[in-house]
Amino acid sequence: SGKGQAVADGVTHTEDFSLTVSCADGVSLKATATDGARFVSWSGAPVPEGFDEAAETLLKPVDDGTVTVAFVEGAVRRVWTGRVSDDIATPANWTPASTMTAEDELYVTNGTLTASAPFAAEKLVLAGETTFTVVAIPLGDGVPSTSAKLYANPTVVTVAGEFLVDDTATVVCENDSKTGAAVRFDVGALALAEDATITSDAKGWNWYLSSNDPLATYTQDKYQSRALGAGGDDTKGDAWMQAAGHGAVGSRYSGTRVHYGDAYGQELAPFEPGSPNGLQNHSINNGTTGGGTVWIRCGGTCAVAGTITANGGQAQYSSGSGGSIWISAKTFESAETAVLSVRGGDMTGSTIYPA
């Protein structure tokens, strides 16, 4: 009934959960988990230079000595080290550093980490001054940025159990700025502490360098955007004065204009990002991005005591529109300290005239 085995020079050593083998220089060891257990790590001394504790094959320990291989049944509790990068999916950034699975319980304190692909865990705890950024995967080539396509193609982070955002930790949800593709959290339960934040401020649609994208909805000189409510277009004049639209049309800096950013969005299912403003002097440096999407599906209790925002970016003469916050939960609990904010960015140049 052993939970794993190690093979050294053709000899199999077996023991529940962990076993110790003595080995000389030149011996190669291979660990194999059995009976539903999982390999965790090699440990002990001596180990070779460049030793990878996460590799299931340990090659040529340098001297005689004892090396231990550990197996575990069920979930593995992992603690963030950030040893090699900020990638949440890299085993070497965690202790233990073995291959990760959706059954793992993850704990991060004062770390900076990023997920740029779908990711799953049993539990995720962010504490201290941790910043966790999730970057959406763009829609595929030739896929238009329609509401239906955006709804069907989010980048999903799955936490089957509890997702705890504690202390002053921050979660950043970053839409793809070209296609608008969003991030979605599917969680068993969510707890957002009073001083913690989930934000997608200025993480929505933007302009990009192009003049011949057939999927673009707006064009300004050498820039285009696939946004649904960008603040300007070459055909409408003085684009830099035009703010983006979303739930309503965008406002203007001054004067009378024919058109501002279009209104769009789903009133009872807000998942689309905000749009960028018109570009001053056709320079992307004078533009700003719309707010992104905070999209949470919670199978149990969603308890919010902190701050959730998806505000548009600010600029001098016009601004990006606010994005979206969509939370669905079996039970939603909002403390007096909770703040949820979706609004357009500030215009710093002068008075805003209503559309």
Side-chain angles (χ1 to χ4, degrees):
S1 62
K3 297 300 183 291
Q5 63 184 25
V7 179
D9 282 347
V11 179
T12 299
H13 305 263
T14 303
E15 184 178 326
D16 283 354
F17 295 102
S18 66
L19 56 91
T20 302
V21 292
S22 296
C23 52
D25 183 25
V27 175
S28 296
L29 302 174
K30 180 174 177 59
T32 304
T34 58
D35 295 342
R38 288 187 288 140
F39 167 78
V40 177
S41 65
W42 295 97
S43 61
V47 294
E49 184 178 355
F51 166 62
D52 182 1
E53 68 183 41
E56 295 187 21
T57 299
L58 176 61
L59 298 175
K60 298 183 179 180
V62 293
D63 294 307
D64 291 347
T66 299
V67 178
T68 301
V69 58
F71 300 91
V72 67
E73 188 173 30
V76 174
R77 186 184 190 277
R78 301 185 190 277
V79 177
W80 177 259
T81 64
R83 185 167 51 197
V84 298
S85 69
D86 65 354
D87 182 11
I88 192 173
T90 298
N93 285 323
W94 298 90
T95 297
S98 53
T99 301
M100 302 173 69
T101 77
E103 297 178 344
D104 294 342
E105 297 179 353
L106 307 180
Y107 296 83
V108 185
T109 300
N110 298 326
T112 299
L113 58 163
T114 301
S116 53
F119 184 83
E122 175 64 29
K123 183 175 183 179
L124 178 57
V125 178
L126 308 178
E129 297 181 357
T130 292
T131 298
F132 176 33
T133 300
V134 186
V135 181
I137 298 172
L139 299 180
D141 292 342
V143 178
S145 297
T146 62
S147 297
K149 295 299 184 183
L150 293 173
Y151 178 82
N153 294 282
T155 298
V156 180
V157 173
T158 303
V159 182
E162 183 182 28
F163 181 24
L164 175 59
V165 188
D166 206 357
D167 301 327
T168 59
T170 298
V171 177
V172 180
C173 304
E174 186 172 324
N175 293 63
D176 178 60
S177 63
K178 180 177 181 178
T179 67
V183 171
R184 191 182 76 210
F185 283 88
D186 290 356
V187 302
L190 171 68
L192 181 67
E194 180 176 346
D195 295 321
T197 302
I198 300 176
T199 183
S200 193
D201 287 355
K203 297 297 184 182
W205 267 308
N206 203 351
W207 298 92
Y208 50 90
L209 186 63
S210 174
S211 60
N212 58 358
D213 181 2
L215 298 180
T217 50
Y218 294 87
T219 298
Q220 280 192 247
D221 191 23
K222 58 186 178 181
Y223 295 102
Q224 292 187 295
S225 178
R226 296 188 189 179
L228 298 180
D233 192 289
D234 280 345
T235 65
K236 302 179 178 90
D238 291 336
W240 56 276
M241 292 186 180
Q242 299 167 13
H246 188 171
V249 296
S251 61
R252 64 182 182 274
Y253 165 67
S254 65
T256 300
R257 297 290 171 257
V258 176
H259 184 87
Y260 318 102
D262 290 322
Y264 63 95
Q266 319 299 316
E267 182 178 0
L268 300 180
F271 59 86
E272 291 141 325
S275 297
N277 67 329
L279 300 177
Q280 182 183 1
N281 299 326
H282 298 290
S283 171
I284 201 167
N285 294 326
N286 296 325
T288 189
T289 310
T293 304
V294 177
W295 188 355
I296 300 169
R297 300 198 309 190
C298 182
T301 298
C302 179
V304 177
T307 299
I308 302 177
T309 61
N311 301 319
Q314 74 172 34
Q316 186 172 9
Y317 296 111
S318 60
S319 62
S321 58
S324 296
I325 297 175
W326 186 10
I327 301 173
S328 56
K330 182 177 181 180
T331 303
F332 184 80
E333 298 176 356
S334 178
E336 292 183 357
T337 54
V339 175
L340 278 72
S341 175
V342 179
R343 61 177 180 81
D346 294 332
M347 296 183 193
T348 61
S350 186
T351 304
I352 301 173
Y353 295 82

